[in-house]
């Protein structure tokens, strides 16, 4: 019985050591979902908040959350993912980034550039 307790303690210590070694890169994956969420704001057809480019690793889960002051459609080229946006209400496109390359993310109606998504292994 004592041997099992020691093994469990070592396993927990090892897991804590491994999970505590990740570095910070700005927009971090959410611990519960393993998804990196990046937020943007669009006002009068211009990006007013959020990065010009989002770099992710192949296979990473990503969510792009956009709040616009006008109704529009958020679209991720190359992945063909879209979300309808209502004024002032955040809309999200979430997916696994499994295609390498650089992809435009834009609002279709206004043509506003949201960001570029860079996916690489």
């Amino acid at each position: 019985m004592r041997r099992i307790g020691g093994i469990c303690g070592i396993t927990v210590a090892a897991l804590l050591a491994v999970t505590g070694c990740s570095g910070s890169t700005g927009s971090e994956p959410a611990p519960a979902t393993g998804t990196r969420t990046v937020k943007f704001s669009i006002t009068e057809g211009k990006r007013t908040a959020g990065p010009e480019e989002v770099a992710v690793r192949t296979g990473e889960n990503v969510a792009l959350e956009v709040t616009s002051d006008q109704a529009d459609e958020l679209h991720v080229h190359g992945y063909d993912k879209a979300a309808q946006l209502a004024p002032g209400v955040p809309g999200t496109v979430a997916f696994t980034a499994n295609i390498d390359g650089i992809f435009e993310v834009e609002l279709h109606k206004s043509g506003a550039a949201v960001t570029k998504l860079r996916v690489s292994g």
Side-chain angles (χ1 to χ4, degrees):
M1 190 63 124
R2 185 178 186 117
R3 184 180 182 108
I4 292 173
I7 291 171
C8 289
I10 292 170
T11 303
V12 169
L15 286 173
L16 289 173
V18 169
T19 58
C21 292
S22 61
S24 177
T25 60
S27 57
E28 290 297 312
T33 63
T35 298
R36 180 188 300 192
T37 301
V38 186
K39 297 180 181 187
F40 299 88
S41 294
I42 305 293
T43 305
E44 296 180 8
K46 303 277 187 204
R47 181 183 61 244
T48 55
E52 187 174 326
E53 183 177 286
V54 176
V56 299
R57 309 255 325 141
T58 305
E60 188 172 350
N61 295 322
V62 63
L64 304 175
E65 181 182 298
V66 176
T67 303
S68 176
D69 63 341
Q70 301 173 10
D72 213 321
E73 180 184 53
L74 171 64
H75 184 250
V76 181
H77 289 273
Y79 283 88
D80 204 25
K81 301 289 184 183
Q84 294 300 315
L85 301 178
V89 179
T92 302
V93 173
F95 56 97
T96 300
N98 55 8
I99 305 168
D100 287 357
I102 301 172
F103 305 93
E104 297 290 329
V105 181
E106 69 175 2
L107 301 186
H108 264 190
K109 189 175 179 182
S110 69
V114 176
T115 193
K116 290 182 182 176
L117 177 68
R118 180 182 301 270
V119 181
S120 61

